[in-house]
Amino acid sequence: MRTPERSDRRPAAAGAATDDPVDAIAAAWSRERPQTPVDSIGVVTRIWQLAKHFGDDRRRVLAEAGVDPATLDLLSVLRRSGPPYTMSTRDLAVHSLVTAGAISQRLARAEREHLVTRRPAPGRSRAVLVELTTAGHDLVERTVDRVLTREAELLEGLGAERQEALAELLRELLGDVQEQLNVRGVSHVGHQGLDHPERG
């Protein structure tokens, strides 16, 4: 793993006024505990805040569309798999980054709404295949553009070049953090329950 470079930039000096609440948190800790490293606050706290804002906004957009976030996630995984839009329950769990129990709950809900069908996998005992129905396909088609267009609007202020640079930095940071924590993935942002406290 590449050792990240340390920044020489410090938060606002003790007692200095700042209009940014995150900088204010870092400055206050730096003032009260000069020996405490505070460089991470400017990154991690803002990531938490962005995740909260993006998650809340996605839930709002989906609520307006009448779609449950977990159901859309399930249908989107099937849709992205390509024709015939069929996957095993095990593969669905892997690609959805959730547990088998969570997938079972999602499947039960989607099946009740006639968005997916389930059938035994030929020649594979106990394996189950899940297929996107026409109704499920239509739901994804009319919803995914709405969600992604809205999120593109939220990023417009950065411009294409800076978005690309930020995406690369976040990819690198995520990989480093996952390696350090020995984890392989996380649940998707936008599901109910993503409401982390501010760091610091």
Side-chain angles (χ1 to χ4, degrees):
M1 180 181 65
R2 187 178 60 82
T3 302
E5 297 178 1
R6 289 190 58 83
S7 171
D8 292 332
R9 183 178 182 273
R10 302 296 296 174
T18 174
D19 293 330
D20 188 300
V22 178
D23 287 344
I25 291 171
W29 279 124
S30 187
R31 180 190 69 240
E32 297 298 316
R33 293 181 54 83
Q35 75 280 15
T36 298
V38 298
D39 291 348
S40 63
I41 291 176
V43 174
V44 177
T45 299
R46 289 189 176 98
I47 289 175
W48 280 132
Q49 291 178 340
L50 283 168
K52 178 66 165 59
H53 293 323
F54 284 134
D56 286 348
D57 193 74
R58 176 176 285 198
R59 285 191 292 273
R60 179 191 59 78
V61 171
L62 291 179
E64 291 175 354
V67 182
D68 174 77
T71 299
L72 180 63
D73 182 40
L74 171 70
L75 302 181
S76 296
V77 171
L78 286 166
R79 175 65 178 84
R80 293 196 303 268
S81 71
Y85 311 115
T86 302
M87 299 177 70
S88 69
T89 53
R90 185 175 185 278
D91 286 342
L92 270 174
V94 170
H95 286 83
S96 298
L97 304 175
V98 297
T99 65
I103 280 294
S104 295
Q105 293 178 0
R106 294 181 181 189
L107 286 174
R109 185 185 307 121
E111 199 169 32
R112 285 195 302 270
E113 297 175 2
H114 308 291
L115 302 173
V116 300
T117 58
R118 284 187 276 189
R119 67 176 188 274
R124 296 167 59 188
S125 62
R126 301 181 64 182
V128 175
L129 294 179
V130 180
E131 183 174 0
L132 196 62
T133 66
T134 299
H137 189 281
D138 290 345
L139 178 60
V140 173
E141 295 299 295
R142 69 173 182 264
T143 306
V144 68
D145 280 353
R146 186 169 181 175
V147 171
L148 296 182
T149 297
R150 169 57 180 166
E151 292 177 354
E153 291 172 353
L154 294 175
L155 296 177
E156 280 179 352
L158 288 180
E161 187 174 330
R162 289 201 292 170
Q163 285 183 44
E164 185 177 347
L166 177 59
E168 184 57 39
L169 285 172
L170 290 173
R171 180 185 297 110
E172 183 178 336
L173 176 61
L174 179 60
D176 284 347
V177 170
Q178 287 178 331
E179 183 176 339
Q180 291 181 64
L181 298 178
N182 193 29
V183 295
R184 297 184 60 185
V186 293
S187 299
H188 291 280
V189 172
H191 296 169
Q192 192 64 34
L194 182 63
D195 190 3
H196 300 284
E198 282 192 356
R199 187 175 193 265

